[in-house]
Amino acid sequence: LAKTTQPISMDSYEGQEVNITCSHNNIATNDYITWYQQFPSQGPRFIIQGYKTKVTNEVASLFIPADRKSSTLSLPRVSLSDTAVYYCLVVGDSSYKLIFGSGTRLLVRP
Amino acid sequence: DTAVSQTPKYLVTQMGNDKSIKCEQNLGHDTMYWYKQDSKKFLKIMFSYNNKELIINETVPNRFSPKSPDKAHLNLHINSLELGDSAVYFCASSQEGGQGAYNSPLHFGNGTRLTVT
């Protein structure tokens, strides 16, 4: 099962771009990379998912290099409300157990 | 209007008691899950049901028993509660079931905070 490694925490300021990198060295061919956001006292919320290269939606962008051993979640111009824990998951047909790692706690300061 | 709803939101009980947590989803999803989040914020999957059939059963004490009366409901019953059971329990659902579930985003409820005293 592909395991992920993320920074435990990150600090940023309002208006800045934040990039959170996740390592997944033993990702399998059929695995997808998925990111979730969790606010205090709430369940995780799906942000974005990708397989390779770049995916963009109204919330974030996901960059995946050719070897797919890592991925970067990019949050453009963060605001205070982006303060949350961000989880990177690698999911595939052999790991549909959807294993969450420890996540990255992002603190956005005024 | 809530997509995945859990009840109760808070549950405080004493050791040795039996309690249940209920979960309902109105998204029409095939698969439902129970996760446990401990004090260190690790989210660990406990169970998964696809169309009322158990497909994931992690190493969880048999005091925990999931029950799925229909595709939209997955309840969690816990017998003989212990101090270590204190955690936040999240219910979730996804569109596809079985092996197809891996690329279907999870939709989570807001959790049930269980405190065992």
Side-chain angles (χ1 to χ4, degrees), chain A residues 36 38 43-44 49 87 91 98, chain B residues 35 37 41 102-103 106 108-109:
Chain A
Y36 288 81
Q38 185 178 24
Q49 179 175 269
Y87 293 95
V91 297
L98 305 172
Chain B
Y35 281 83
Q37 187 168 44
K41 303 301 182 184
Y102 63 84
N103 61 349
L106 292 166
F108 282 85

Side-chain angles (χ1 to χ4, degrees), chain A residues 15-61:
Chain A
Q16 289 188 333
E17 178 184 76
V18 170
N19 296 311
I20 306 175
T21 298
C22 177
S23 297
H24 26 80
N25 290 322
N26 57 341
I27 190 170
T29 302
N30 292 332
D31 286 345
Y32 282 73
I33 300 151
T34 309
W35 286 80
Y36 288 81
Q37 174 191 55
Q38 185 178 24
F39 297 115
S41 301
Q42 293 186 24
R45 181 176 71 103
F46 171 81
I47 300 176
I48 197 167
Q49 179 175 269
Y51 183 80
K52 63 179 179 181
T53 61
K54 177 183 175 183
V55 179
T56 297
N57 61 22
E58 65 278 4
V59 176
S61 294

Side-chain angles (χ1 to χ4, degrees), chain B residues 29-57:
Chain B
H29 287 170
D30 289 332
T31 306
M32 296 185 72
Y33 311 80
W34 277 109
Y35 281 83
K36 178 181 180 181
Q37 187 168 44
D38 59 25
S39 56
K40 295 183 179 179
K41 303 301 182 184
F42 286 100
L43 263 169
K44 300 177 183 177
I45 192 166
M46 302 173 67
F47 301 103
S48 173
Y49 267 75
N50 173 241
N51 282 318
K52 296 169 54 181
E53 181 183 345
L54 181 65
I55 57 171
I56 296 175
N57 185 355

Side-chain angles (χ1 to χ4, degrees), chain B residues 21-24 32 34 49 51-53 66-76:
Chain B
I21 306 172
K22 295 186 177 181
C23 178
E24 175 181 6
M32 296 185 72
W34 277 109
Y49 267 75
N51 282 318
K52 296 169 54 181
E53 181 183 345
K67 285 189 171 49
S68 181
D70 55 56
K71 203 171 77 167
H73 296 84
L74 181 62
N75 303 323
L76 182 65

Side-chain angles (χ1 to χ4, degrees), chain A residues 60-79:
Chain A
S61 294
L62 179 60
F63 297 93
I64 306 167
D67 65 6
R68 305 201 326 122
K69 293 184 183 299
S70 67
S71 59
T72 299
L73 175 73
S74 181
L75 305 172
R77 296 179 298 282
V78 294
S79 63

